[in-house]
Structure formats: C-alpha cells, structure tokens
Amino acid sequence: EGEWSSRIDDCKALVPEDKHTHYCQGVFPDCIGAQVIATFGVGFSFVYVDMDTSMSTTDAIAFFWGLLVPGGKLFFDDYGWEPCAGVKMSVDAAFPEDMRSVIQSHHTCIVEKPRG
C-alpha cells in the first residue's frame, strides 16, 4: 500500500537477487535481521536506506550502524523531502551535522562511519 507501492516480484525484475542483493518482505528489522547476518555476515560498506518513516529509519540506523565497516556509508533517501519528514528527523537525531553530507537537490543524505 502507499503512493509508491510495488510488488516484490516487480522489484526483483528490475534488480535481481544475487549474492550482494537480498529482498525480504515484511516489517524491518524483524523480517530480516538474523537472515542478513547469516547471508552477508558483518562488514557492510554501503547501505541504501529508503524507509520513508521516522521509526523505520531509526530502526535501520540502529541495525546497520554496528555492522558498518569504518569508512562505510549509510545513504538515506528522502532526506529533507517534506512527505517523508521523519527521515530527516531520525538522521539528524542520530548523527551530528558534521557527519552528514546532504545533497538537497536530490533529497539525500550520506553518513560515513569514522575510520579508526
């Protein structure tokens, strides 16, 4: 449901599942937590977060930050876009301004985990 809803099969047709891409339909992180770690292990270098809401974005930060390698990046879609205002709220609450690289024209924000 929702403005940009789609079927999981449509998503898989555009971006096929492989050893680097995994789909899980359900409520995050319950639907995926242990499965992600079992499938991919720890040590993510890039995570694309497109959750649209504050609660889901906060959950994604809590889940992935500890699994991110130093220098790894969290990329947040819809940052600063009014219909998804909760994304900016959650990212701003979790990370200080000097950690956020904001691309206003594309409503995105990238946060890099400090090295060492």
Side-chain angles (χ1 to χ4, degrees):
E1 293 184 27
E3 189 173 356
W4 294 284
S5 65
S6 62
R7 297 174 328 130
I8 196 164
D9 291 337
D10 295 337
C11 296
K12 288 180 178 181
L14 291 171
V15 179
E17 197 161 17
D18 62 21
K19 69 179 185 173
H20 300 291
T21 305
H22 175 74
Y23 288 91
C24 183
Q25 192 169 5
V27 177
F28 181 85
D30 299 338
C31 69
I32 198 166
Q35 189 174 359
V36 166
I37 294 169
T39 303
F40 298 107
V42 294
F44 289 92
S45 57
F46 180 83
V47 177
Y48 183 86
V49 181
D50 186 3
M51 299 292 197
D52 295 348
T53 68
S54 180
M55 180 186 290
S56 294
T57 300
T58 297
D59 288 345
I61 292 167
F63 181 82
F64 286 111
W65 189 252
L67 301 175
L68 207 61
V69 298
K73 294 173 179 55
L74 293 179
F75 183 103
F76 296 93
D77 188 50
D78 301 321
Y79 180 90
W81 189 54
E82 189 55 38
C84 298
V87 173
K88 183 178 186 315
M89 210 168 56
S90 292
V91 172
D92 289 358
F95 302 107
E97 188 173 350
D98 64 343
M99 285 183 72
R100 295 181 250 136
S101 297
V102 178
I103 306 166
Q104 295 290 352
S105 61
H106 295 285
H107 300 292
T108 59
C109 179
I110 301 168
V111 176
E112 181 175 332
K113 190 169 188 175
R115 298 173 191 267

